[in-house]
Amino acid sequence: MTAVTVAELAEFVDGRCVGDGSVRIEDVADLRQAGPTDIGFVRDLRFAALVGQSRAGAVIVESALDVRMPQIVVARPDVAFARIGLRFHPVPTATEHDLHPTADVASDAQLEMPVALGPHVSVGRSAKIGRGTLCGAGVVIGEGARIGRDCTLFPRAVVYPGTVIGDRVILHAGAVVGSDGFGYARDGERWVKIPQIGHVVIEDDVEIGANATIDRATLGITRIGRGSKIDNLVHVGHNCTIGEDCAMAGFSALAGSTHIGDRVSMGGHVVSAGHLKVANDARIGGNSVLYGDVREPGEYLGYPLQPKSRWARTLHVLGRLPELLAEVRQLRQSRGSNSRDDHPAADV
Amino acid sequence: MTAVTVAELAEFVDGRCVGDGSVRIEDVADLRQAGPTDIGFVRDLRFAALVGQSRAGAVIVESALDVRMPQIVVARPDVAFARIGLRFHPVPTATEHDLHPTADVASDAQLEMPVALGPHVSVGRSAKIGRGTLCGAGVVIGEGARIGRDCTLFPRAVVYPGTVIGDRVILHAGAVVGSDGFGYARDGERWVKIPQIGHVVIEDDVEIGANATIDRATLGITRIGRGSKIDNLVHVGHNCTIGEDCAMAGFSALAGSTHIGDRVSMGGHVVSAGHLKVANDARIGGNSVLYGDVREPGEYLGYPLQPKSRWARTLHVLGRLPELLAEVRQLRQSRGSNSRDDHPAADV
Amino acid sequence: MTAVTVAELAEFVDGRCVGDGSVRIEDVADLRQAGPTDIGFVRDLRFAALVGQSRAGAVIVESALDVRMPQIVVARPDVAFARIGLRFHPVPTATEHDLHPTADVASDAQLEMPVALGPHVSVGRSAKIGRGTLCGAGVVIGEGARIGRDCTLFPRAVVYPGTVIGDRVILHAGAVVGSDGFGYARDGERWVKIPQIGHVVIEDDVEIGANATIDRATLGITRIGRGSKIDNLVHVGHNCTIGEDCAMAGFSALAGSTHIGDRVSMGGHVVSAGHLKVANDARIGGNSVLYGDVREPGEYLGYPLQPKSRWARTLHVLGRLPELLAEVRQLRQSRGSNSRDDHPAADV
């Protein structure tokens, strides 16, 4: 790691340096584990006490604290910490043209120098890879696929033929982009495969997690919009579109033709039934199941999906169903002693 | 693409050609994007208006329309469209014997010519691969595995030792067939691994999605029946059996010893508790959880699984639990003013 | 398989041999399929009748049966069967130093002889691999990773840089250990990646299933404790810790910073919301969703998670919600005829 002064880092994140700006910083760390060459941060002032107990060389804060430790004051300490962290730990890309001797590159593939291909990488016919892109061990780029610049494909990521990937895209290990959508026509008792002849487009600055799968469209395009982030073990079905700057946490699935707007966030284990739309700026909590469109921005949760505050009440009742049943039984009994109705509507 | 006339395509799908059968077709397409060398289809007559607006060269329909565009009239336009699509875009198989120089093939493996092995493929001892089978980059065929004819194994698919795979099977990228079942005996506080010494049998015409996992049996066989289709990120536990012509959509899981009949369809995100049976011709909707046998054909849905129409009502009530609670509270209150019961059965 | 006598096997599992101890056994099998050189077992005496009908050479039982078949009597027949099974079918490890010529090993990687590396394996700079460890075809060991002794990495497992793995660890095909956690800071409309600079530690005797993913910590360590077993398609988020001797069945996910105690078992399809703790010895049934801490050992189930017996009642009511609604409606109607309240609290 190259050391850099607190003052330089403050400038790097458009922050204000308070205290000794000449202190040299080599890494980011949690304040509780930080040493004198580390910089930490406090998300907000509730955690300010951590600073006094820390051995960190500097700290990023929202507003200046009355401590001796050098500080960088910025509106968003978490963002500044992420930026500084990335400066010390950049996502690996290709800085020199370096094709491992075991990499197999089709003679008509076009690599824009520099590109780094690790061991046992395979690049298919007519594929294009932009400069700065690094493919880890065993990555497979299919025929005619186009990968942009400064991308990072971790080991064993597979890009099917014809897929188009933008710049600065990260694919984690085992991610599969462009596999066939799940489409069959039923012919009597048998399934006839509907050829999946569309493609996948992954726009700039997208990150896709380990062992996630993004299916190609039946006809047309499955699209992941610029800046969207998809976590591990997520399935995106054929012909889905995800807008820009979305975040989709792990272990989730979108059935075919789900259309997600911009800036939509989804917690983990969210499942969508397909053929539906989610409005821009919707925030969908974890463990939700979507059966219909989400028409307005806002916070949503539940199964079936509801406005979040409503689901909290539903969940409360769900947790008390045995008591609710007992109550209704008692009401029925007490009614029985008041009135002469018979034949209860149901035997609960 | 080789062009073919509408008349020839009509014959290919056992349909009737209406209009100019000499028009040459080169591809299938969505009617809205189709050009003059494309053929499209309308699923049913509700969409007939699309035909008038389309630039397609021909269309597949259920019954002849009063339009100038050449038509192929068949009972099942979707099936015909799939068949014609596959004719233009066949699943890639091996037409010439072509072993990539980086492929590693055990000396006693038996390849029935022609077989195509891509870069960095590994074929273990005593494995057999039938003619016409294509293994994409990095596919691993374990010791003693048998792969049938005309199969397509996409990059990085892994077939564990001893697995038996039929003809025309498709494994998508990252699919794993034959991994150990999850079985341990508890010895005090420790888990002792139960060796998983059974196998997996994948019958003819099965397709398995990207990053899906099919575990070998503890003892005996995990079996996927002829013609069944399994989507991405599906887990099939040890000793499961899936019958013929089933379809299992993505992001689903069958715990060990689940036995699925023939022609069963499952929507996405269906989970089965294991050690249970599902009858032939059951149709299980997405997001269902199976805790017990499904004894009759029919449509099912829900958590726990119920006949579909019943679950629709349950879901309706589930969505209105807060109102139900409020109602019961009011009933209790009103009862309180009528009678002198105390000690409500429960504090809801 | 090397044959071994029943008497020797009895000694191997600290059991008592009853009957002819000289019978030679070559394999384990299900009693119903077993032949004269196989040994089977009965889990408990309810299944004793199976023994009389079996052609097995010997059987493992809890207490001696009045049969002619040689028996091994032990307190835990299932554990003894697993141990004997593993003796006949040991998990493959390296017995000879054998680096496949296509394996790519960094010049400064340290391999403690014997190590077996299959075709197209990649071992990064400064990585260390302990003696007895076997890496199947296409395994990738990242820079600086440390793998212990007698481990088995099945084909295509990926170990990210810096990961630490203990002894006798099994990674199944496609498992990914050390991928980036899902962490971003929101900067206006854009997501800024929070560098994931922690690591993963996998302790001794852990087994991880096919295509499972274990994310590295943001800062610090994601840890899987000694002896814990994780099934296929499980996602473990960044900074999670799993204690010792846990079992986590397939198709499950722990969101970031979930802390699981020792000897916790989880059924399949369990999802945890993250930032919570689960007490030692908790047993969590399948299809459960954790939103909060589990503070006591015991059996739990449900969504949201509840003590198991309570959830059984909840599930019963859940299955009868339509009847419950009908009942409440009838009560409301009957109340209407008794009292003069209007404006029902809700329109259910």
Side-chain angles (χ1 to χ4, degrees):
Chain A
M1 308 274 168
T2 323
V4 58
T5 66
V6 175
E8 286 171 299
L9 289 176
E11 196 183 334
F12 176 66
V13 297
D14 294 321
R16 183 165 59 91
C17 181
V18 173
D20 181 0
S22 72
V23 168
R24 296 183 77 74
I25 298 298
E26 293 177 9
D27 205 351
V28 291
D30 185 305
L31 278 179
R32 290 161 296 191
Q33 276 86 44
T37 58
D38 294 326
I39 188 166
F41 82 109
V42 282
R43 194 173 298 273
D44 61 48
L45 294 179
R46 287 177 299 158
F47 301 106
L50 282 174
V51 177
Q53 298 152 17
S54 175
R55 294 173 52 248
V59 64
I60 309 167
V61 291
E62 208 177 341
S63 53
L65 302 176
D66 184 19
V67 292
R68 197 185 295 183
M69 189 185 293
Q71 298 164 59
I72 295 174
V73 182
V74 286
R76 289 290 307 274
D78 58 338
V79 172
F81 184 77
R83 291 241 157 83
I84 291 172
L86 278 176
R87 176 167 172 157
F88 288 119
H89 302 271
V91 178
T93 53
T95 50
E96 296 176 30
H97 198 62
D98 181 12
L99 311 187
H100 195 278
T102 60
D104 179 71
V105 181
S107 57
D108 64 349
Q110 296 177 44
L111 311 189
E112 184 189 27
M113 291 177 69
V115 159
L117 303 182
H120 314 115
V121 164
S122 171
V123 180
R125 282 176 295 174
S126 307
K128 292 185 186 180
I129 303 181
R131 68 169 183 245
T133 288
L134 178 152
C135 296
V139 162
V140 178
I141 309 290
E143 183 177 342
R146 282 185 285 152
I147 315 290
R149 294 173 172 170
D150 296 316
C151 293
T152 306
L153 279 64
F154 281 92
R156 310 279 166 235
V158 174
V159 177
Y160 271 57
T163 299
V164 175
I165 291 183
D167 297 336
R168 295 172 304 280
V169 167
I170 300 172
L171 301 185
H172 279 283
V176 174
V177 179
S179 39
D180 280 2
F182 194 69
Y184 304 89
R186 190 142 199 175
D187 185 19
E189 300 198 340
R190 305 263 174 131
W191 296 106
V192 177
K193 182 176 176 70
I194 298 171
Q196 304 290 308
I197 58 186
H199 291 102
V200 175
V201 173
I202 308 279
E203 298 183 354
D204 296 345
D205 297 302
V206 165
E207 182 165 359
I208 294 179
N211 287 341
T213 62
I214 316 290
D215 275 354
R216 69 200 307 109
T218 307
L219 299 165
I221 299 290
T222 301
R223 181 181 300 271
I224 314 290
R226 184 198 48 70
S228 286
K229 314 297 184 184
I230 293 179
D231 198 359
N232 297 356
L233 292 177
V234 167
H235 167 62
V236 177
H238 50 180
N239 295 83
C240 286
T241 56
I242 296 180
E244 302 192 347
D245 297 312
C246 294
M248 201 174 162
F251 201 63
S252 291
L254 304 182
S257 298
T258 301
H259 301 290
I260 306 290
D262 296 332
R263 297 171 304 279
V264 171
S265 67
M266 293 184 162
H269 194 225
V270 168
V271 178
S272 163
H275 294 280
L276 54 81
K277 288 183 184 172
V278 175
N280 292 343
D281 299 297
R283 301 183 60 183
I284 297 173
N287 299 300
S288 294
V289 173
L290 283 72
Y291 281 122
D293 290 354
V294 175
R295 297 204 174 83
E296 301 289 335
E299 298 208 80
Y300 298 87
L301 193 64
Y303 170 34
L305 195 74
Q306 306 176 7
K308 186 179 178 181
S309 59
R310 181 178 172 82
W311 178 251
R313 287 184 291 146
T314 299
L315 206 60
H316 171 78
V317 187
L318 192 63
R320 303 192 65 74
L321 281 184
E323 287 75 15
L324 186 65
L325 175 64
E327 181 74 19
V328 169
R329 280 180 173 154
Q330 201 184 51
L331 283 167
R332 185 173 62 187
Q333 214 169 7
S334 106
R335 182 200 57 165
S337 62
N338 284 352
S339 71
R340 291 280 155 192
D341 285 358
D342 8 294
H343 308 307
D347 175 33
V348 186
Chain B
M1 308 275 166
T2 324
V4 59
T5 66
V6 176
E8 285 170 299
L9 289 176
E11 195 183 334
F12 177 66
V13 297
D14 294 322
R16 183 165 57 93
C17 181
V18 173
D20 180 0
S22 71
V23 167
R24 298 183 75 76
I25 297 298
E26 294 177 10
D27 205 351
V28 291
D30 186 305
L31 278 179
R32 290 162 294 192
Q33 278 87 43
T37 58
D38 295 325
I39 187 167
F41 83 109
V42 281
R43 194 174 299 274
D44 60 50
L45 293 178
R46 286 177 299 158
F47 302 106
L50 284 174
V51 177
Q53 299 152 16
S54 176
R55 295 174 51 248
V59 65
I60 310 168
V61 291
E62 209 177 341
S63 54
L65 302 175
D66 184 19
V67 294
R68 195 186 300 183
M69 188 184 293
Q71 299 164 59
I72 296 175
V73 182
V74 286
R76 290 291 306 276
D78 57 339
V79 172
F81 184 77
R83 289 240 158 84
I84 291 173
L86 279 175
R87 176 167 171 156
F88 288 118
H89 303 271
V91 179
T93 53
T95 49
E96 297 177 29
H97 198 62
D98 182 13
L99 311 186
H100 195 277
T102 60
D104 179 71
V105 182
S107 56
D108 64 350
Q110 296 176 44
L111 311 188
E112 184 188 26
M113 290 178 68
V115 159
L117 303 182
H120 314 114
V121 164
S122 170
V123 180
R125 281 177 294 175
S126 307
K128 291 184 186 179
I129 303 182
R131 69 168 183 247
T133 288
L134 177 153
C135 296
V139 162
V140 178
I141 309 290
E143 184 177 342
R146 282 185 286 152
I147 316 290
R149 293 172 173 172
D150 296 316
C151 293
T152 306
L153 280 63
F154 281 92
R156 310 279 166 234
V158 173
V159 177
Y160 270 58
T163 299
V164 176
I165 291 182
D167 298 335
R168 296 172 304 279
V169 168
I170 300 172
L171 302 186
H172 280 284
V176 174
V177 179
S179 40
D180 280 2
F182 194 67
Y184 304 90
R186 190 141 197 175
D187 186 19
E189 300 197 341
R190 304 263 174 131
W191 295 107
V192 177
K193 182 177 175 69
I194 299 171
Q196 304 290 308
I197 58 186
H199 291 102
V200 174
V201 173
I202 308 280
E203 297 183 355
D204 296 345
D205 298 302
V206 165
E207 181 164 0
I208 294 179
N211 287 340
T213 63
I214 316 289
D215 277 353
R216 68 199 307 109
T218 307
L219 300 166
I221 298 290
T222 301
R223 183 180 299 271
I224 314 290
R226 185 198 47 71
S228 287
K229 314 297 184 185
I230 294 179
D231 198 0
N232 296 355
L233 292 177
V234 167
H235 166 60
V236 177
H238 49 180
N239 295 83
C240 286
T241 56
I242 296 179
E244 302 192 348
D245 297 313
C246 294
M248 201 175 161
F251 200 61
S252 291
L254 304 181
S257 299
T258 301
H259 301 289
I260 306 289
D262 296 331
R263 298 171 304 278
V264 171
S265 66
M266 294 185 161
H269 194 228
V270 168
V271 178
S272 163
H275 293 279
L276 55 81
K277 288 182 184 171
V278 175
N280 293 343
D281 299 298
R283 301 184 60 182
I284 298 173
N287 298 301
S288 293
V289 173
L290 283 73
Y291 282 123
D293 290 353
V294 175
R295 296 205 174 84
E296 301 289 334
E299 297 209 80
Y300 297 88
L301 192 65
Y303 171 33
L305 194 74
Q306 306 175 7
K308 186 178 177 183
S309 57
R310 183 178 171 82
W311 179 251
R313 287 184 290 148
T314 300
L315 207 61
H316 171 78
V317 187
L318 192 64
R320 304 191 67 74
L321 281 184
E323 287 76 15
L324 187 65
L325 176 64
E327 181 74 19
V328 170
R329 280 181 173 153
Q330 202 185 50
L331 284 167
R332 184 173 63 187
Q333 214 169 7
S334 106
R335 181 199 59 164
S337 63
N338 286 350
S339 71
R340 291 281 157 193
D341 285 358
D342 7 296
H343 307 306
D347 175 34
V348 186
Chain C
M1 308 272 168
T2 324
V4 58
T5 66
V6 176
E8 286 171 298
L9 289 176
E11 195 183 335
F12 176 66
V13 297
D14 294 322
R16 184 164 58 91
C17 181
V18 172
D20 180 0
S22 71
V23 168
R24 297 183 76 75
I25 297 298
E26 293 177 10
D27 205 351
V28 291
D30 186 304
L31 278 180
R32 290 161 294 191
Q33 278 86 43
T37 58
D38 295 325
I39 188 167
F41 83 109
V42 281
R43 194 174 298 273
D44 60 49
L45 293 179
R46 286 177 298 158
F47 301 106
L50 283 175
V51 177
Q53 298 151 15
S54 176
R55 295 173 51 247
V59 65
I60 309 168
V61 291
E62 209 177 340
S63 53
L65 302 176
D66 184 18
V67 292
R68 197 185 295 182
M69 190 185 290
Q71 300 165 59
I72 295 174
V73 182
V74 287
R76 290 290 307 274
D78 58 337
V79 172
F81 184 78
R83 289 240 158 84
I84 291 172
L86 279 175
R87 177 167 170 158
F88 287 118
H89 302 271
V91 179
T93 53
T95 50
E96 296 177 29
H97 198 62
D98 182 12
L99 312 187
H100 195 277
T102 61
D104 179 71
V105 182
S107 56
D108 64 348
Q110 296 177 43
L111 310 189
E112 184 188 27
M113 291 176 68
V115 158
L117 304 182
H120 314 115
V121 164
S122 170
V123 179
R125 281 177 295 175
S126 307
K128 291 184 186 180
I129 302 181
R131 68 167 184 247
T133 289
L134 178 153
C135 296
V139 162
V140 178
I141 309 290
E143 183 177 343
R146 282 184 286 151
I147 315 290
R149 293 172 173 172
D150 296 315
C151 292
T152 306
L153 280 64
F154 281 91
R156 310 279 167 233
V158 173
V159 176
Y160 270 58
T163 299
V164 176
I165 290 183
D167 298 336
R168 296 172 303 280
V169 167
I170 300 171
L171 302 185
H172 279 283
V176 174
V177 179
S179 40
D180 280 3
F182 194 69
Y184 304 90
R186 190 142 197 174
D187 185 20
E189 299 198 341
R190 304 264 174 130
W191 295 107
V192 177
K193 182 175 174 68
I194 299 171
Q196 304 291 308
I197 58 186
H199 290 102
V200 175
V201 173
I202 308 281
E203 297 183 355
D204 296 345
D205 299 301
V206 165
E207 182 164 359
I208 295 179
N211 286 342
T213 62
I214 317 289
D215 276 354
R216 67 200 306 110
T218 306
L219 299 164
I221 298 290
T222 300
R223 181 181 300 272
I224 314 290
R226 186 198 47 70
S228 287
K229 313 298 183 186
I230 293 178
D231 198 359
N232 297 356
L233 292 178
V234 167
H235 166 62
V236 177
H238 48 180
N239 294 83
C240 286
T241 56
I242 296 180
E244 301 191 348
D245 298 312
C246 294
M248 200 173 164
F251 201 62
S252 291
L254 304 182
S257 299
T258 301
H259 301 290
I260 306 288
D262 296 331
R263 298 172 302 280
V264 171
S265 65
M266 294 184 162
H269 195 225
V270 168
V271 177
S272 164
H275 292 280
L276 55 81
K277 288 181 183 171
V278 175
N280 293 343
D281 299 297
R283 301 184 60 183
I284 297 172
N287 298 301
S288 294
V289 173
L290 283 73
Y291 281 122
D293 290 354
V294 175
R295 297 204 173 83
E296 302 288 335
E299 297 208 80
Y300 297 87
L301 193 65
Y303 170 33
L305 194 74
Q306 305 175 9
K308 186 179 178 181
S309 58
R310 181 178 172 82
W311 179 251
R313 286 185 291 148
T314 299
L315 207 59
H316 171 78
V317 187
L318 192 63
R320 303 192 67 73
L321 281 183
E323 287 75 14
L324 187 64
L325 176 65
E327 181 74 19
V328 170
R329 279 180 173 154
Q330 200 184 52
L331 284 166
R332 184 174 62 187
Q333 215 169 7
S334 105
R335 182 200 58 163
S337 62
N338 286 351
S339 72
R340 291 282 156 191
D341 285 359
D342 9 294
H343 309 307
D347 174 33
V348 186

